């Protein structure tokens, strides 16, 4: 086997091991399916049936639409849960057992292979969660742009996951990382992006720069209008790319050690 | 005939917030040489190793190491969710990229360290002695050029302690240089040299 194939086999091994780690984390497994189901069931059970005016932000246009309160709450809640869950999983992926992988890098595991395997697993998880949430939503309400909605949830998961990963990698304490993740998810995806709130907010310019704004707008537009909000998709992609860039550099810096260059050949 | 130099370190210094932990440590180890470093708790032994391995940035000094190093850390850093077999599989796959993995040697060490019954156990469920054996095995199975052992036999029973020395003697005879760090060193006659870490300096005591 040549060196490239060996690298590939290490990558596949790391990927499958990450999957096994998740399977052994009973709480993590329960969260991924139970939390969206329970939260959306509570919304379905308690939401009112009146209509509310909300704003949808397109590139040069703000459209006001009247939406059923129940449907609006379902979409908003799904987005908030998706954001929080993905940042929670990212903290698990990039914080837990990090010293072990540093040790593996010392044994000559390539940092790039490690990061690639974690990122691939992360995207698999985002996709699974996105598909599950979209299907759950589709079973509770009707919308035509299913693929766009799925993409929206994936973008939201990617942005929040990258944020969770950065917090996880930079924080020494797991609970502090979770606290930071919960705080941002709570104020941003769980409050500021609530259409009822942001549609009448005084400082909507500030709300627009929070991480969940663009993917939430993409999801809301895909569900509550016939248009595809390409501007929101593009901005989400830029946001996700920037955060992943920061995450990549943080992981690479931390896993290689500050002075790895000191290793020298005889 | 002079032996090959496997490790050289000169005037290594490291301080934390004005507290000088390493004050200019110098050390050289030849191929097949076995040295011990002793010192009280907090004397800087582990800081010295962490600087050598790149986990910490030294303030000054120079050193060179062989590329093929085995390291048995003091801390319990193994992935608690992995099974022993999964950890060894990953360690083998990583090592295989650069060096030959001596499968027979790995199997023989597994037997001698009595790890075979634990292959399907999760690392997080192992007793401290068994955990220590897994760390030790990970550092030696690929027969490195330089082996760094930080408190390697903590938690070993007497029989395992004897097996440990048996394996060390084998590895040494193959030309591996060994640096062992401990706050307590017994069997001083097994070492070629012993250094003591005091106030950030390494002093040869044997």
């Amino acid at each position: 086997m040549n060196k490239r194939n060996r690298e590939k086999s290490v990558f596949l091994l790391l990927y499958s091991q990450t999957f096994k780690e998740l399977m052994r984390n009973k709480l993590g497994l329960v969260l991924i399916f139970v939390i969206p189901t329970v939260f959306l069931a509570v919304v379905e059970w308690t939401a009112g049936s009146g209509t509310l005016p909300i704003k949808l932000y397109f590139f040069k246009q703000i459209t006001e639409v009247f939406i059923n309160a129940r449907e609006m709450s379902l979409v908003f809640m799904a987005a908030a849960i998706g954001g929080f869950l993905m940042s929670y999983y990212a903290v698990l992926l990039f914080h837990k057992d990090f010293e072990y992988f540093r040790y593996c890098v010392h044994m000559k595991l390539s940092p790039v292979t490690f990061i690639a395997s974690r990122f691939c697993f992360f995207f698999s998880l985002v996709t699974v969660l996105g598909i599950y949430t979209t299907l759950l939503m589709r079973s509770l309400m009707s919308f035509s742009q299913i693929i766009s909605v799925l993409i929206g949830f994936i973008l939201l998961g990617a942005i929040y996951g990258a944020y969770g990963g950065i917090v996880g990698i930079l924080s020494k304490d797991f609970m502090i990382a979770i606290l930071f993740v919960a705080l941002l998810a709570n104020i941003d995806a769980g409050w500021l992006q609530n259409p009822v709130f942001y549609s009448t907010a005084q400082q909507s310019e500030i709300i627009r720069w929070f991480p969940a704004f663009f993917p939430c707008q993409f999801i809301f537009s895909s569900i509550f209008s016939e248009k595809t909000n390409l501007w929101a998709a593009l901005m989400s992609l830029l946001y996700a790319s920037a955060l992943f860039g920061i995450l990549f550099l943080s992981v690479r810096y931390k896993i290689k050690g500050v002075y790895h260059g000191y290793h020298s050949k005889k | 005939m002079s032996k090959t130099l496997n490790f050289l370190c000169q005037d290594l210094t490291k301080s934390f917030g004005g507290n000088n932990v390493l004050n200019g440590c110098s050390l050289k180890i030849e191929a097949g040489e076995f040295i011990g470093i002793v010192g009280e708790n907090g004397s800087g032994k582990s800081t010295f190793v962490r600087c050598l391995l790149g986990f910490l940035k030294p303030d000054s000094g120079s050193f060179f190491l062989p590329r093929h190093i085995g390291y048995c850390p003091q801390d319990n850093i193994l992935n608690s969710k992995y099974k022993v077999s999964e950890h060894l599989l990953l360690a083998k796959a990583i090592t295989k990229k650069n060096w030959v993995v001596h499968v027979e040697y790995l199997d023989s060490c597994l037997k001698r360290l009595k790890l075979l019954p634990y292959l399907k156990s999760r690392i997080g469920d192992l007793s401290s002695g068994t955990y220590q054996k897994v760390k030790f095995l990970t550092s030696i199975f690929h027969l490195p050029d330089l082996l760094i052992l930080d408190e390697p036999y903590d938690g070993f029973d007497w029989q395992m302690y004897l097996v440990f020395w048996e394996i060390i003697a084998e590895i040494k005879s193959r030309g591996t240089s060994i640096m062992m760090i401990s706050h307590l060193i017994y069997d001083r006659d097994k070492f070629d040299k012993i250094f003591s870490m005091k106030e950030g300096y390494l002093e040869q005591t044997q």
Side-chain angles (χ1 to χ4, degrees), chain A residues 1 3 6-7 9-10 13-14 17-18 20-22 24-26 96-97 99-110 113 118 255-260 262-266, chain B residues 4-6 52-58 61-67 69 71-73 77-83 86-87 89-91 93-94 96-99 122 135 138-139:
Chain A
M1 209 188 328
K3 205 161 180 174
R6 285 187 186 135
E7 201 66 66
S9 75
V10 173
L13 194 59
L14 278 170
Q17 282 299 118
T18 313
K20 285 179 193 166
E21 276 181 77
L22 177 71
R24 286 167 194 165
N25 181 352
K26 298 283 180 287
K96 289 261 175 184
D97 297 303
E99 278 304 307
Y100 174 69
F101 293 106
R102 273 190 90 182
Y103 179 61
C104 289
V105 167
H106 160 76
M107 289 198 292
K108 300 286 183 274
L109 165 68
S110 154
T113 306
R118 288 270 141 162
I255 203 160
K256 280 203 84 171
V258 280
Y259 217 54
H260 208 262
Y262 232 97
H263 281 248
S264 56
K265 265 185 177 176
K266 218 168 41 166
Chain B
T4 322
L5 198 63
N6 237 353
L52 297 181
L53 294 171
F55 295 132
L56 282 175
K57 180 182 178 178
S62 63
F63 57 84
F64 68 83
L65 303 157
R67 276 184 60 78
I69 303 170
Y71 173 48
C72 176
I77 44 90
L78 300 183
N79 193 330
S80 56
K81 290 211 169 56
Y82 279 19
K83 290 179 179 171
E86 291 164 350
H87 161 71
L89 192 66
L90 180 63
I94 295 167
K96 239 191 236 175
K97 284 189 307 166
N98 300 290
W99 299 289
R122 290 228 201 127
K135 280 196 294 181
T138 310
S139 67

Side-chain angles (χ1 to χ4, degrees), chain A residues 14-205:
Chain A
L14 278 170
Y15 185 91
S16 65
Q17 282 299 118
T18 313
F19 178 73
K20 285 179 193 166
E21 276 181 77
L22 177 71
M23 295 302 284
R24 286 167 194 165
N25 181 352
K26 298 283 180 287
L27 178 68
L29 267 183
V30 166
L31 284 178
I32 199 167
F33 296 114
V34 173
I35 294 292
T37 313
V38 170
F39 275 55
L40 292 185
V42 170
V43 172
E44 174 71 9
W45 190 32
T46 56
S49 56
T51 1
L52 294 163
I54 68 157
K55 286 175 183 168
L56 298 176
Y57 289 81
F58 292 89
F59 179 49
K60 280 186 176 169
Q61 181 196 346
I62 300 170
T63 308
E64 193 167 79
V65 288
F66 285 86
I67 304 296
N68 176 287
R70 173 188 154 269
E71 291 188 347
M72 188 217 68
S73 305
L74 282 172
V75 180
F76 159 68
M77 187 56 78
I81 298 162
F84 175 73
L85 279 182
M86 267 329 293
S87 42
Y88 166 75
Y89 286 115
V91 171
L92 286 183
L93 278 174
F94 292 100
H95 180 90
K96 289 261 175 184
D97 297 303
F98 198 77
E99 278 304 307
Y100 174 69
F101 293 106
R102 273 190 90 182
Y103 179 61
C104 289
V105 167
H106 160 76
M107 289 198 292
K108 300 286 183 274
L109 165 68
S110 154
V112 175
T113 306
F114 167 73
I115 296 170
S117 74
R118 288 270 141 162
F119 275 25
C120 280
F121 187 80
F122 172 82
F123 281 112
S124 310
L125 207 58
V126 169
T127 309
V128 168
L129 186 66
I131 290 172
Y132 182 67
T133 314
T134 308
L135 291 177
L136 205 58
M137 296 280 298
R138 191 70 180 82
S139 69
L140 295 169
M141 58 190 282
S142 66
F143 50 87
S144 55
Q145 299 191 64
I146 297 174
I147 299 297
S148 295
V149 173
L150 170 63
I151 292 170
F153 280 121
I154 290 174
L155 285 170
L156 181 75
I159 288 173
Y160 257 87
Y163 165 71
I166 295 166
V167 170
I169 213 84
L170 297 179
S171 170
K172 283 187 176 172
D173 191 301
F174 180 70
M175 289 313 289
I176 288 176
I178 291 294
L179 177 71
F180 269 96
V181 157
L183 284 177
L184 185 71
N186 197 20
I187 197 165
D188 183 21
W191 177 242
L192 295 176
Q193 307 310 331
N194 182 341
V196 175
F197 180 80
Y198 79 69
S199 294
T200 55
Q202 292 176 45
Q203 303 292 341
S204 61
E205 287 297 321

Side-chain angles (χ1 to χ4, degrees), chain A residues 206-228:
Chain A
I206 294 174
I207 296 173
R208 285 184 200 199
W209 294 105
F210 273 78
F213 177 77
F214 293 109
C216 279
Q217 284 304 311
F218 187 70
I219 296 167
F220 296 155
S221 312
S222 304
I223 292 179
F224 299 126
S225 77
E226 296 302 312
K227 296 179 195 167
T228 305

Side-chain angles (χ1 to χ4, degrees), chain B residues 128-142:
Chain B
S128 63
T130 311
Y131 193 108
Q132 193 66 26
K133 285 191 264 179
V134 177
K135 280 196 294 181
F136 178 58
L137 178 64
T138 310
S139 67
I140 57 157
F141 79 89
H142 44 92

